[in-house]
């Protein structure tokens, strides 16, 4: 669009005016909030891609290990209820699954590092038999037991670490039904045990270097007195108790990790509805504590550098089935969490490596394996994880560089989410802005290259939220404007860099009105035009030389498709089509994001039991066809969202619309033989909430849509 022209924008959507007096002027400010805030960008750096696989059901635990020492971890799945394991190799592209039978129960499985050249040794907890054994696991086979040890109490959990730095990892055993802490040593003649403490039980334990001597010590949570107890290693594998930290509640998911890269490991755990971090220091005092408050109780967590910036982040699952990631900011602070997945049947998740990057693998009860990874746009069908319940998704162009960026309103957490892509169409930065209400529409003012204005609203509600975001300074200016009635449509007209007219079409007492917010940087005034029409069911607004409204109204036993040119004096009305109104009549009305003199700007579809109409408005000219589809069909189509824009490199602005009952997106075509418009199927896409088309690899166009079943944004190639 030419910048010297007034920018005329409005929203794609649905929903529907008569006499006029003089324009009413009002200098009342219809806004609730006017403020400037600082917001941070989250450097996701490509950690956003999701891949889904189907595997046999029955597994409920998952770990990873690089069995072939080729830099790509295998995933190992198991369950205490069945005597076999699954091994997935070649992740995430060339996946091969092997199901391997065992002759023993696997309650818990942990990888054991060895100083030998192989990477196949594992420790197995056989809780019911009160045993721990050692086996070899390969991509396509599992050995019998190499050694085992029995106990008088029930082992539940193990952690591994090289306590004497001889290249052979030892095993620390604990559990709520196990007596104390046991350290297991491996030797050629079997497994030996040394007790660290007896007479109590521990629900959590980790190896951690407490005194900075390079040797692993132990931190463990004593469930009998609710205390975190520290045990120092004398460098020879003999541990002594040193101090305790008391708690009023039990902690879960105890981990140790150097989050701030200062050489001292932190202690991380979940307690109640929060995560707590005790920062390590040279005295192991752990006096500095960071609390991350969560909305729900955390169930489990893991830590790693997922976005490749050297600052570890935390992946955590909360009790309502939401898996989240909070990216580390500087080792001491964390960015706002991002939802990865909503899945109530999520059983377990683990970190795995591929091409030196950390990825996440999730296992569900239904036999789904879901991978979250850093990656690149490969020109094929892909998913990214930014929206769980997206109401609307739109593209915009930060820096006006031709690379499409994404704006999403996520109904689940009521956030406006902005994703910036690099030149390879890989998401690199993420922003989230809280909304006052759940909105279903976004308009975007792209007059500036580095500063974008987002208008968020819902049809049928009075609130219009305006967000002006400066991506260079990370400054957000927000305003909340209230229309005098329920919104039908919104459009804007930019006058200059500091002055925008925001037009609101709304319904008040069953009458349709047009209002205008004159929005300057430092002030807002409101004007209301005279009453337009009544009984409007859907309307689309455009700002040309004067405001123009295309709308449907219900009048007794008929429906009228009208247009109105809004003036300060009497409005100019025209009726384009009248159809009978029955209980089966279905009307859909769509308008483009900007008025275009060359391509269609308004499309409406009418379907009833006896007739159908396709109405196309181009530069004020109205064409009416009596056939909706290229080939006639008996069933009515249930249309959803629409998109006006390019879908091919030819530069033509096309109209497309999604149909949910046959899961196709239809394109508006002109049939030369019949001299009429119709709709033609162009791409199949299931579970579409909202969508757009964009050229992501500079030569091919892709469908980008909010996938309301999988809870993600899906990308699908238009290439056949």
């Amino acid at each position: 669009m030419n910048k010297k022209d007034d920018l005329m924008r409005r929203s794609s959507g649905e929903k529907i005016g008569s006499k006029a007096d003089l324009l009413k002027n009002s200098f009342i400010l219809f806004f609730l909030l006017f403020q400037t805030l600082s917001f941070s960008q989250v450097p996701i750096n490509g950690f956003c891609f999701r891949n889904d696989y189907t595997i046999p059901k029955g597994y409920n635990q998952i770990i990873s290990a690089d069995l072939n020492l080729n830099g790509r971890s295998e995933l190992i799945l198991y369950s205490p209820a069945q005597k076999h394991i699954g091994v997935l190799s070649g992740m995430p592209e060339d996946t091969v699954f092997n199901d391997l039978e065992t002759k023993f129960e696997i309650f818990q499985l942990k990888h054991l590092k060895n100083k030998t050249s192989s990477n196949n040794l594992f420790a197995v907890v056989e809780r019911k038999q009160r045993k721990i054994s050692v086996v070899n696991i390969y991509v396509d086979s599992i050995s019998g037991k190499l050694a085992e040890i029995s106990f008088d109490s029930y082992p539940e959990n193990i952690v591994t670490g090289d306590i004497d730095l001889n290249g052979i990892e030892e095993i620390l055993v604990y559990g709520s039904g196990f007596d104390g802490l046991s350290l297991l040593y491996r030797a050629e003649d079997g497994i030996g045990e040394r007790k660290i403490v007896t007479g109590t039980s521990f629900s959590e334990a980790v190896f951690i270097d407490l005194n900075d001597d390079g040797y692993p010590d132990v931190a463990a949570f004593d469930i009998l007195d609710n205390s975190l107890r520290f045990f120092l290693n004398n460098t020879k594998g003999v541990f002594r108790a040193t101090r305790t930290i008391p708690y009023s509640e039990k902690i879960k998911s105890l981990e140790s990790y150097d989050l701030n890269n200062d050489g001292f490991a932190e202690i991380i755990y979940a307690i109640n509805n929060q995560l707590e971090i005790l920062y390590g220091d040279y005295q192991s005092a752990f006096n500095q504590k960071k609390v991350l408050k969560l909305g729900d109780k955390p169930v489990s967590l893991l830590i790693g550098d997922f976005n490749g910036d050297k600052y570890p982040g935390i992946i955590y699952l909360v009790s309502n089935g939401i898996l989240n990631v909070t990216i580390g900011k500087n080792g001491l602070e964390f960015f706002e969490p991002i939802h990865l997945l909503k899945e109530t049947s999520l059983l377990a998740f683990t970190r795995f490596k591929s091409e030196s990057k950390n990825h996440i693998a999730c296992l569900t009860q239904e036999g789904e394996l879901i991978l979250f990874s850093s990656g690149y746009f490969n020109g094929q069908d892909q998913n990214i994880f930014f929206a769980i319940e997206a109401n609307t998704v739109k593209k915009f162009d930060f820096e006006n560089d031709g690379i499409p960026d994404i704006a999403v309103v996520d109904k689940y957490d009521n956030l406006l989410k902005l994703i910036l892509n690099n030149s390879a169409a890989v998401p690199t930065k993420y922003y989230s802005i809280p909304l006052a209400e759940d909105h279903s529409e976004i308009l975007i003012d792209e007059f500036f290259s580095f500063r974008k204005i987002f208008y968020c609203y819902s049809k049928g509600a009075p609130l219009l939220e305006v967000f002006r975001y400066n991506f260079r300074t990370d400054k957000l200016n927000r305003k909340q404007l209230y229309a005098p009635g329920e919104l039908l449509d919104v459009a804007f007209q930019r006058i200059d860099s500091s002055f925008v007219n925001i037009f609101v079409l709304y319904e008040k007492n069953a009458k349709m009105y047009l209002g205008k917010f004159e929005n300057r940087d430092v002030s807002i005034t409101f004007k209301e035009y005279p009453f337009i029409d009544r009984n409007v069911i859907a309307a689309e607004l455009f700002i040309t030389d004067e405001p123009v409204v295309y709308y449907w109204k219900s009048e007794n036993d008929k429906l009228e498709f009208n247009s109105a040119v809004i003036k300060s004096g009497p409005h100019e009305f025209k009726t384009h089509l009248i159809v009978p109104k029955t209980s089966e009549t279905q009307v859909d009305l769509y308008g483009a994001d900007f008025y275009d003199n060359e391509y269609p700007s308004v499309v409406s579809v009418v379907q009833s039991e006896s007739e159908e109409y396709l109405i196309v408005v181009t530069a004020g000219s109205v064409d009416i066809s009596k056939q909706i589809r290229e080939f006639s069909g008996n069933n009515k189509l249930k249309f959803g969202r629409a998109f006006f824009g390019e879908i091919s490199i030819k530069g033509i602005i096309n109209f497309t619309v999604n149909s949910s009952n046959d899961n196709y997106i239809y394109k508006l075509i002109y049939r030369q033989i019949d001299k009429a418009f119709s709709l033609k199927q162009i791409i199949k896409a299931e579970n579409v909430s909202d969508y757009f088309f964009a050229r992501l690899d500079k030569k091919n166009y892709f469908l980008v849509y909010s996938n309301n079943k999988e809870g993600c944004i899906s990308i699908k190639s238009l290439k056949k």
Side-chain angles (χ1 to χ4, degrees):
M1 180 181 299
N2 196 324
K3 291 269 180 72
K4 67 182 180 182
D5 297 331
D6 288 343
L7 300 185
M8 296 163 285
R9 301 274 182 172
R10 39 121 357 262
S11 159
S12 61
E14 17 176 331
K15 290 241 181 210
I16 313 195
S18 198
K19 290 185 179 176
D21 297 302
L22 296 177
L23 185 66
K24 301 176 184 178
N25 293 316
S26 172
F27 292 92
I28 300 173
L29 302 188
F30 284 79
F31 70 91
L32 175 67
L33 182 65
F34 184 116
Q35 61 181 349
T36 299
L37 305 168
S38 292
F39 271 75
S40 296
Q41 54 176 289
V42 182
I44 51 177
N45 300 334
F47 178 68
C48 61
F49 292 98
R50 167 178 168 167
N51 291 288
D52 293 42
Y53 302 87
T54 300
I55 59 172
K57 295 181 181 180
Y59 300 107
N60 62 14
Q61 296 296 327
I62 183 171
I63 65 170
S64 68
D66 184 2
L67 300 179
N68 293 328
L69 292 174
N70 61 0
R72 300 176 69 180
S73 295
E74 278 68 41
L75 295 175
I76 303 170
L77 303 94
Y78 64 95
S79 170
Q82 52 189 359
K83 294 182 178 180
H84 59 90
I85 65 172
V87 179
L88 282 129
S89 57
M91 310 293 284
E93 289 90 7
D94 306 317
T95 307
V96 176
F97 179 82
N98 286 305
D99 185 85
L100 310 176
E101 186 178 351
T102 70
K103 298 186 181 301
F104 44 84
E105 168 211 11
I106 302 179
F107 183 81
Q108 192 176 72
L109 187 66
K110 286 293 175 72
H111 186 230
L112 282 169
K113 294 178 182 176
N114 238 358
K115 59 183 178 182
T116 64
S117 58
S118 67
N119 205 34
N120 305 99
L121 199 63
F122 290 81
V124 177
V125 177
E126 303 173 70
R127 186 181 183 278
K128 290 181 180 179
Q129 284 70 39
R130 294 182 294 182
K131 292 180 180 180
I132 289 179
S133 55
V134 176
V135 300
N136 277 322
I137 297 177
Y138 305 92
V139 169
D140 56 0
S141 64
I142 181 171
S143 73
K145 296 180 184 179
L146 305 179
E148 67 177 19
I149 186 172
S150 300
F151 304 93
D152 294 330
S153 55
Y154 291 90
E156 292 178 9
N157 303 296
I158 55 176
V159 292
T160 60
D162 186 2
I163 64 169
D164 49 11
L165 307 184
N166 68 348
I168 301 176
E169 286 192 326
E170 284 72 37
I171 305 167
L172 180 66
V173 188
Y174 64 97
S176 58
F178 187 73
D179 180 23
L181 294 172
S182 285
L183 196 64
L184 305 186
Y185 295 85
R186 292 181 288 130
E188 291 185 2
D189 57 348
I191 301 174
E193 178 188 13
R194 179 186 296 164
K195 281 290 186 182
I196 295 177
V197 62
T198 61
T200 188
S201 294
F202 296 84
S203 60
E204 304 285 340
V206 292
F207 282 120
I208 179 174
D209 186 2
L210 295 170
N211 55 355
D212 196 30
D213 64 355
Y215 287 83
D217 307 299
V218 172
F221 189 78
D222 191 324
I223 60 175
L224 297 188
D225 62 4
N226 274 3
S227 66
L228 184 62
R229 299 178 62 181
F230 296 147
F231 301 88
L232 281 182
N233 178 4
N234 71 349
T235 74
K236 298 179 181 178
V238 177
F239 291 80
R240 62 179 178 85
T242 57
R243 58 176 293 214
T244 63
I245 300 177
Y247 287 84
S248 59
E249 303 282 346
K250 287 181 170 55
I251 69 172
K252 293 182 64 177
S253 301
L254 182 66
E255 298 282 348
S256 65
Y257 206 102
D258 184 3
L259 295 175
N260 55 4
N261 299 322
D262 65 351
F264 301 105
E266 278 66 58
I267 294 175
I268 307 100
Y269 53 84
I271 183 170
N272 294 324
N273 282 19
Q274 61 194 36
L275 300 178
E276 293 186 356
I277 303 169
L278 305 181
Y279 282 92
D281 54 62
Y282 71 96
Q283 294 179 323
S284 296
F286 297 105
N287 290 328
Q288 183 181 0
K289 181 165 76 171
K290 175 77 175 178
V291 176
L292 302 179
K293 294 187 179 297
L294 313 176
D296 292 277
K297 185 171 292 187
V299 175
S300 54
L301 62 92
L302 61 83
I303 303 167
D305 177 16
F306 303 104
N307 65 339
D309 66 354
K310 308 304 180 185
Y311 289 112
I314 303 174
I315 305 277
Y316 61 91
L317 175 68
V318 292
S319 54
N320 61 355
I322 300 293
L323 187 68
N324 309 274
V325 58
T326 178
I327 300 294
K329 186 181 295 186
N330 54 19
L332 297 174
E333 301 292 332
F334 293 85
F335 292 100
E336 289 295 313
I338 304 173
H339 301 313
L340 299 180
L341 178 68
K342 181 184 179 183
E343 180 54 73
T344 55
S345 68
L346 182 60
L347 298 172
F349 58 98
T350 190
R351 181 178 63 242
F352 74 98
K353 276 190 173 294
S354 179
E355 298 177 351
S356 74
K357 295 179 179 179
N358 286 316
H359 311 283
I360 302 299
C362 304
L363 179 64
T364 75
Q365 192 170 1
E366 283 75 26
E368 279 188 290
L369 185 69
I370 304 171
L371 305 186
F372 297 103
S373 60
S374 294
Y376 59 92
F377 179 63
N378 59 17
Q380 304 299 318
D381 296 354
Q382 289 180 291
N383 294 321
I384 54 179
F385 58 60
F386 294 106
I388 289 180
E389 296 179 24
N391 271 347
T392 182
V393 55
K394 298 288 184 182
K395 65 177 177 178
F396 66 101
D397 189 358
F398 169 61
E399 293 188 329
N400 296 340
D401 57 2
I403 305 299
D405 306 293
I406 302 173
V408 179
V409 170
D410 195 341
K411 181 180 179 180
Y412 176 76
D413 47 18
N414 207 29
L415 293 174
L416 171 62
K417 300 178 177 181
L418 309 176
I419 301 105
L420 299 190
N421 294 328
N422 64 14
S423 59
V426 174
T428 56
K429 296 177 182 177
Y430 165 88
Y431 306 76
S432 60
I433 302 171
L435 298 169
E437 291 184 3
D438 178 24
H439 299 302
S440 60
E441 307 289 343
I442 305 175
L443 277 172
I444 305 174
D445 182 352
E446 300 206 56
F447 181 79
F448 304 97
S449 62
F450 60 90
R451 191 176 71 190
K452 304 298 178 182
I453 302 174
F454 303 88
Y455 299 86
C456 300
Y457 67 99
S458 287
K459 295 184 178 184
L463 177 62
L464 172 65
E465 294 194 79
V466 184
F467 302 95
R468 186 178 68 192
Y469 198 95
N470 189 318
F471 289 94
R472 288 185 179 173
T473 63
D474 286 331
K475 295 291 185 182
L476 170 71
N477 176 277
R478 68 184 297 166
K479 298 174 183 177
Q480 293 179 352
L481 309 178
Y482 279 86
E486 296 178 344
L487 290 169
L488 294 169
D489 202 11
V490 175
F492 67 81
Q493 176 190 51
R494 179 164 287 282
I495 306 303
D496 56 39
S497 61
S498 61
F499 182 18
V500 179
N501 285 323
I502 305 171
F503 291 87
V504 289
L505 194 65
Y506 55 91
E507 187 177 40
K508 181 174 60 175
N509 300 322
K511 296 179 179 180
M512 180 170 67
Y513 292 86
L514 177 66
K516 178 174 68 173
F517 291 98
E518 295 181 349
N519 183 15
R520 295 172 175 85
D521 283 349
V522 295
S523 67
I524 300 176
T525 58
F526 180 79
K527 298 179 179 181
E528 184 180 77
Y529 290 78
F531 156 69
I532 303 172
D533 208 340
R534 66 179 74 246
N535 300 325
V536 173
I537 61 172
E540 296 294 336
L541 170 65
F542 296 94
I543 312 302
T544 57
D545 294 334
E546 294 172 296
V548 180
V549 182
Y550 291 90
Y551 63 97
W552 282 96
K553 65 174 294 185
S554 176
E555 193 71 33
N556 299 321
D557 59 351
K558 62 185 178 180
L559 295 171
E560 295 182 7
F561 181 64
N562 300 330
S563 63
V565 180
I566 310 303
K567 298 177 177 291
S568 56
H571 306 324
E572 294 179 3
F573 292 89
K574 188 172 182 179
T575 298
H576 303 282
L577 180 66
I578 299 176
V579 299
K581 181 175 66 174
T582 71
S583 60
E584 299 295 322
T585 304
Q586 176 182 312
V587 174
D588 296 283
L589 179 63
Y590 303 97
D593 280 353
F594 59 90
Y595 183 80
D596 195 295
N597 287 321
E598 185 178 357
Y599 300 107
S601 297
V602 174
V603 175
S604 185
V605 180
V606 182
Q607 301 175 87
S608 69
E609 58 269 50
S610 60
E611 56 187 357
E612 59 184 27
Y613 295 93
L614 178 62
I615 305 168
V616 179
V617 181
T618 307
S621 175
V622 179
D623 291 285
I624 301 175
S625 303
K626 289 190 175 182
Q627 181 178 324
I628 293 176
R629 284 167 279 195
E630 183 183 22
F631 303 104
S632 60
N634 296 324
N635 61 314
K636 286 199 298 186
L637 293 175
K638 186 177 180 181
F639 291 114
R641 292 281 191 162
F643 171 74
F644 291 79
E646 294 181 9
I647 64 172
S648 70
I649 206 165
K650 298 175 182 177
I652 298 173
I653 303 300
N654 294 105
F655 168 78
T656 62
V657 62
N658 172 57
S659 171
S660 60
N661 54 344
D662 66 356
N663 295 315
Y664 270 96
I665 290 179
Y666 286 76
K667 169 188 170 182
L668 182 70
I669 63 170
Y670 186 74
R671 304 192 312 272
Q672 288 289 347
I673 296 178
D674 303 320
K675 303 297 181 185
F677 287 98
S678 63
L679 297 174
K680 176 182 180 181
Q681 293 177 346
I682 58 169
I683 187 170
K684 192 172 183 66
E686 298 182 354
N687 312 308
V688 176
S689 175
D690 194 10
Y691 72 96
F692 62 82
F693 289 96
R695 190 167 53 176
L696 299 182
D697 61 4
K698 301 248 179 176
K699 60 180 180 179
N700 296 304
Y701 278 78
F702 294 81
L703 170 67
V704 181
Y705 67 96
S706 49
N707 189 322
N708 54 25
K709 179 182 178 182
E710 302 299 336
C712 62
I713 296 173
S714 295
I715 301 171
K716 194 168 186 177
S717 173
L718 267 179
K719 291 192 299 183
K720 301 298 183 183

